[in-house]
Structures are given as C-alpha cells and as structure tokens.
Amino acid sequence: MTALALNKVIHLLEGSGINAQLIKRVPGEVNTASDQFSSSRLMVYADGGWRVATISVAARSGAYRVEPARTGRDNEELPDRVEMVPVHRPARVALLVAANEGRA
C-alpha cells in the first residue's frame, strides 16, 4: 500500500511539473519514534536542488505524513511543518507540496 499511495502522489506532482523522487531508504536516518512511518520516502526538490517536502505513509493508519520544508529570512533551515492527510486524498498532498514550492 505504501508504494501505491506514494506513486499516486508522484503522478499528480509530475503532472504539475514538480520533480519528485521516491527514496527507498533515507541515508543517515535513524529509526526512532517515527518507526510507525514507512521507510520509503517521497522527496520533492525545487529545480535549484532545495528540498521542498518529504512525504511518507503511516504504516497503521495509511495517512500521508507531509513535511513541507521551511526556511527563515536568511535562508536558514527551520524545523519542518508536519501535516497528516488521509490516504484517500493524494490530491491534497500534491496541493500542499505545490503551495510550498510556490506553484499553487
């Protein structure tokens, strides 16, 4: 289910011209409290290489965990905002990502 859910989002993002890449294992990531989320992540980058968002799927609920990247005034990285989206709403996930990239 995880791969199917993430693939739905990939197709929606690609249709909007947004670059997304499915990562099976995120390098350097240590599984801790977020073990309830799948190890597969959908990484979304802007054309300049900046990370726009990370998307995963909760194993138990099947909800999308959307983590739009945030930066401060001087382009310093801030903690990601986290939004949970029901698995039956992949278009909502794509809209959140597009809005964070400035395309919505």
Side-chain angles (χ1 to χ4, degrees):
M1 174 167 145
T2 300
L4 290 174
L6 292 175
N7 281 331
K8 287 179 185 178
V9 175
I10 289 174
H11 292 300
L12 290 167
L13 291 172
E14 288 175 347
S16 300
I18 296 174
N19 181 28
Q21 181 180 10
L22 183 61
I23 307 292
K24 294 292 184 189
R25 222 177 113 104
V26 179
E29 183 175 277
V30 178
N31 292 340
T32 57
S34 65
D35 278 344
Q36 64 187 8
F37 298 99
S38 69
S39 60
S40 295
R41 303 279 192 267
L42 180 58
M43 307 295 284
V44 183
Y45 295 95
D47 291 336
W50 291 91
R51 185 178 61 85
V52 174
T54 302
I55 304 161
S56 57
V57 177
R60 292 185 189 152
S61 68
Y64 290 103
R65 177 184 169 101
V66 183
E67 301 176 54
R70 298 185 322 142
T71 56
R73 288 185 179 187
D74 295 326
N75 285 330
E76 74 273 9
E77 287 188 35
L78 299 174
D80 291 348
R81 187 175 79 238
V82 176
E83 298 201 31
M84 301 301 287
V85 178
V87 74
H88 65 276
R89 307 231 12 229
R92 172 77 177 137
V93 174
L95 183 61
L96 286 170
V97 172
N100 201 51
E101 190 179 14
R103 293 190 186 211

